[in-house]
Amino acid sequence: DDPEAMERAIAENPDAAWEGRLAQAAAYLGLGRHEQALGTVAALIASLETVSRDDFMNRQVLDLARGLYVKALWQAGSQAQALGEARAVRPMLRDGLLPAILVDEVLAEAGRR
């Protein structure tokens, strides 16, 4: 719950910058700072899309970023966009893992409305 601490951690360990940005976005989301969460995770997704094509670890971070992006959109009040993103990324995600769980939560919530 401390985005600034994540910034310091990224500076200290640049090899884990993508993971640090993901944690930072989650911290922003937890604090209700939706716009910052969305900006951070959107930039992360853009950075990871190419490098994740042939790297398993990067793909895992990308999948989690996609799930967090859907959740952040929903919590920021962009339900239609969140639902569209959820439907687009859900087929790429493995059942039972956190990225799919985040997306499934949004899909379930949308189904209740």
Side-chain angles (χ1 to χ4, degrees):
D1 65 351
D2 189 348
E4 289 72 28
M6 296 309 334
E7 192 67 42
R8 290 188 300 275
I10 292 165
E12 292 171 11
N13 188 6
D15 289 340
W18 287 326
E19 294 85 348
R21 289 284 173 231
L22 188 60
Q24 187 178 46
Y28 284 138
L29 191 59
L31 294 170
R33 294 163 60 180
H34 302 113
E35 294 306 315
Q36 288 171 295
L38 285 167
T40 300
V41 79
L44 180 61
I45 290 169
S47 297
L48 284 167
E49 283 182 330
T50 301
V51 297
S52 69
R53 290 183 186 145
D54 60 353
D55 186 286
F56 177 78
M57 293 300 291
N58 289 340
R59 177 58 191 255
Q60 298 303 304
V61 177
L62 176 61
D63 285 349
L64 190 50
R66 286 176 170 154
L68 189 61
Y69 185 68
V70 168
K71 193 75 166 183
L73 283 168
W74 186 265
Q75 290 184 4
S78 298
Q79 281 82 23
Q81 187 179 357
L83 189 54
E85 288 287 327
R87 289 178 177 149
V89 301
R90 184 56 181 95
M92 298 180 239
L93 305 176
R94 177 176 273 171
D95 291 341
L97 297 182
L98 184 55
I101 292 168
L102 293 171
V103 171
D104 288 345
E105 287 175 356
V106 168
L107 292 170
E109 184 64 27
R112 286 185 226 143
R113 293 181 177 229

